[in-house]
């Protein structure tokens, strides 16, 4: 059977069985709940309780002209179905038209309501109260996403794996999935570019992993610093079996006055990768922290020997190990001057009488 994508003679496409009765209901331009695009981190894969119902679908606006009759597209506009031109006004009531990147997709809203955790599933499962069709009764969605990417993502709603088109980068596909709240993982996406796919999966895994480190290991140290009145924190990540034994009489000279340590081999391995450090930095930025620095530095673990200098002055030599560190600040007024001005009011001498 011919591929409908290869023989489309117009920008209108039908993704359903041609034996079904077709009806056209048309698509909207909608800002999803707010003016900014939703860019979630994770997509919940659990099912929501009966979000989409047949009742809400029956309340969808029908595609009608000003005279009250069902509206039809221009006479020369046809539905591309397997390379054959079909009259466009035989659409069923359960169809609607989405416009993405100036390309029309005629779809059954049931494929979206079957996935209520996605953006399109929510849009067409809430009685359409937030939907506003254009003058032609079409719904404009997925602003900024190309028709090629949207066509590929539609495979997810049809129960198939999303195949990354060869002309689309994995990052572009990933961003589109995030925008539409479609899960992007090895179970839903198939790419020829394995390096690009694994890179995106690693970014997602690193983000989730660092959020655990931040909440369970780093935040308690930040709270300790805050309770001392500090407004920044410096954390060195040691291995689980690293031991620190400083001489109380001859402590090492530290660059950070209030340096703290956390023993976690898992976090040590996490920071071995530069990409993971970039992800961690972005996570902390998203949490409102500033002056974020991540890297590797030497940390003194135990005293090796003491050298006597001329004059009896002792010099302590410590053993240093290279370990990752994290530095962050939550100071709000750092941009203001720290200079303290003292105004001195001199009393003018009284004139002699």
């Amino acid at each position: 059977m011919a591929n409908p994508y290869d023989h489309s003679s117009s920008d209108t496409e039908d993704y359903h069985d041609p034996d079904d009765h077709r009806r056209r209901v048309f698509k909207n331009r909608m800002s999803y709940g707010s003016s900014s695009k939703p860019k979630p981190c994770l997509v919940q894969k659990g099912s929501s309780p009966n979000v989409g119902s047949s009742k809400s679908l029956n309340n969808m606006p029908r595609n009608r002209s000003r005279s009250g009759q069902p509206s039809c597209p221009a006479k020369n506009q046809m539905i591309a179905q397997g390379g054959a031109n079909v009259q466009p006004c035989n659409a069923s009531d359960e169809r609607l038209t989405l416009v993405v990147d100036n390309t029309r997709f005629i779809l059954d809203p049931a494929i979206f309501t079957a996935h209520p955790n996605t953006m399109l599933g929510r849009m067409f499962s809430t009685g359409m109260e937030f939907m506003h069709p254009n003058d032609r009764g079409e719904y404009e969605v997925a602003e900024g996403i190309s028709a090629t990417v949207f066509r590929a993502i539609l495979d997810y709603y049809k129960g198939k794996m999303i195949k990354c088109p060869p002309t689309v980068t994995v990052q572009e596909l990933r961003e589109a999935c995030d925008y539409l709240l479609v899960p992007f993982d090895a179970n839903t996406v198939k790419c020829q570019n394995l390096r690009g796919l694994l890179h995106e999966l690693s970014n997602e895994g690193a983000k989730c992993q660092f959020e655990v480190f931040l909440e369970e290991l780093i935040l308690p140290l930040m709270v300790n610093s805050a309770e001392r009145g500090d407004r920044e924190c410096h954390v060195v990540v040691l291995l689980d079996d690293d031991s620190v034994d400083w001489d109380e009489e001859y402590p090492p000279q530290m660059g950070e006055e209030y340096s703290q340590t956390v023993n976690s081999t898992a976090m040590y391995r996490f920071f071995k990768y530069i990409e993971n450090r970039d992800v961690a930095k972005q996570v902390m930025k998203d949490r409102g922290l500033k002056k974020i620095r991540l890297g590797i530095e030497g940390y003194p673990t135990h005293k090796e020997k003491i050298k006597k200098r001329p004059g009896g002055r002792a010099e302590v030599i410590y053993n240093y190990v290279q370990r990752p560190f994290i530095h962050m600040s939550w100071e709000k007024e750092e941009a203001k001057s720290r200079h303290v001005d003292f105004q001195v009011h001199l009393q003018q001498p009284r004139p002699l009488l």
Side-chain angles (χ1 to χ4, degrees):
M1 182 174 178
N3 189 339
Y5 301 149
D6 298 336
H7 301 279
S8 298
S9 58
S10 72
D11 61 354
T12 306
E13 304 185 10
D14 196 330
Y15 279 83
H16 288 277
D17 189 347
D19 296 334
D20 293 341
H21 294 291
R22 288 193 205 78
R23 226 188 258 176
R24 294 189 71 179
V25 184
F26 295 90
K27 153 187 187 244
N28 85 346
R29 165 162 296 213
M30 144 186 181
S31 65
Y32 179 66
S34 66
S35 59
S36 61
K37 296 182 181 179
K39 299 284 289 183
C41 167
L42 294 175
V43 177
Q44 296 180 355
K45 301 180 181 178
S47 59
S48 298
N50 297 330
V51 178
S53 63
S54 59
K55 181 178 179 181
S56 64
L57 295 179
N58 293 332
N59 293 330
M60 288 186 180
R62 298 294 182 255
N63 192 28
R64 296 188 176 273
S65 62
R66 296 180 180 178
S67 62
Q69 299 298 324
S71 62
C72 300
K75 293 181 179 180
N76 59 352
Q77 184 179 8
M78 313 297 286
I79 299 177
Q81 171 81 23
N85 289 332
V86 182
Q87 292 296 333
C89 291
N90 296 329
S92 66
D93 286 341
E94 289 74 22
R95 298 294 180 92
L96 52 83
T97 298
L98 305 183
V99 180
V100 179
D101 191 25
N102 296 322
T103 302
R104 290 168 177 79
F105 298 86
I106 300 177
L107 301 158
D108 186 343
I111 69 172
F112 299 129
T113 57
H115 299 83
N117 288 325
T118 65
M119 190 181 90
L120 294 176
R122 295 177 184 178
M123 288 168 59
F124 296 109
S125 298
T126 56
M128 309 280 284
E129 60 265 25
F130 299 110
M131 308 294 289
H132 302 288
N134 60 18
D135 295 337
R136 301 179 63 179
E138 302 164 337
Y139 294 93
E140 300 175 7
V141 297
E143 182 180 358
I145 297 177
S146 70
T148 302
V149 173
F150 186 76
R151 183 182 295 111
I153 293 178
L154 284 177
D155 284 341
Y156 169 77
Y157 292 98
K158 294 187 290 183
K160 303 177 182 178
M161 291 192 69
I162 302 172
K163 295 182 180 180
C164 184
T167 58
V168 174
T169 64
V170 182
Q171 182 180 5
E172 181 182 357
L173 179 63
R174 163 66 186 278
E175 291 175 352
C177 287
D178 285 350
Y179 176 77
L180 296 172
L181 302 182
V182 171
F184 186 98
D185 53 44
N187 297 320
T188 59
V189 178
K190 185 176 182 180
C191 295
Q192 181 68 23
N193 182 1
L194 290 180
R195 184 178 68 88
L197 174 62
L198 294 174
H199 174 75
E200 295 298 330
L201 296 179
S202 292
N203 283 346
E204 182 65 27
K207 180 179 180 181
C208 297
Q209 182 62 66
F210 183 73
E211 287 177 343
V212 175
F213 290 148
L214 181 61
E215 291 290 337
E216 297 183 359
L217 300 178
I218 301 175
L219 182 58
L221 301 180
M222 297 167 62
V223 171
N224 289 339
S225 297
E227 290 177 345
R228 286 199 302 260
D230 298 337
R231 300 187 183 272
E232 57 186 349
C233 182
H234 188 92
V235 179
V236 178
V237 182
L238 303 177
L239 298 176
D240 289 333
D241 56 358
D242 280 342
S243 61
V244 178
D245 183 18
W246 290 357
D247 190 322
E248 295 182 359
E249 184 178 357
Y250 301 102
Q253 298 296 321
M254 295 293 297
E256 297 292 337
E257 185 176 0
Y258 297 113
S259 177
Q260 301 186 76
T261 61
V262 56
N263 289 79
S264 173
T265 301
M267 186 156 49
Y268 168 84
R269 292 174 179 171
F270 175 88
F271 284 116
K272 178 176 67 173
Y273 302 102
I274 297 177
E275 290 90 345
N276 286 356
R277 291 180 229 163
D278 293 338
V279 171
K281 188 172 184 178
Q282 186 60 49
V283 169
M284 289 190 287
K285 281 184 177 180
D286 294 341
R287 300 292 294 270
L289 299 172
K290 299 180 293 185
K291 295 182 179 179
I292 302 168
R293 293 187 291 111
L294 298 99
I296 306 292
E297 68 179 2
Y299 189 80
T301 56
H302 60 275
K303 181 179 64 176
E304 287 189 339
K305 60 182 178 179
I306 300 178
K307 286 186 177 181
K308 292 294 184 178
R309 292 292 185 181
R313 185 172 61 90
E315 179 182 356
V316 182
I317 299 177
Y318 271 86
N319 176 68
Y320 281 77
V321 294
Q322 297 296 313
R323 296 293 182 261
F325 74 89
I326 313 169
H327 185 98
M328 75 293 291
S329 170
W330 50 92
E331 186 179 15
K332 297 179 64 175
E333 306 293 338
E334 77 278 358
K336 294 185 178 181
S337 173
R338 303 188 183 193
H339 177 68
V340 180
D341 295 324
F342 295 95
Q343 295 182 356
V344 179
H345 298 280
L346 299 178
Q347 185 178 7
Q348 295 294 332
R350 295 181 181 181
L352 297 177
L353 298 178

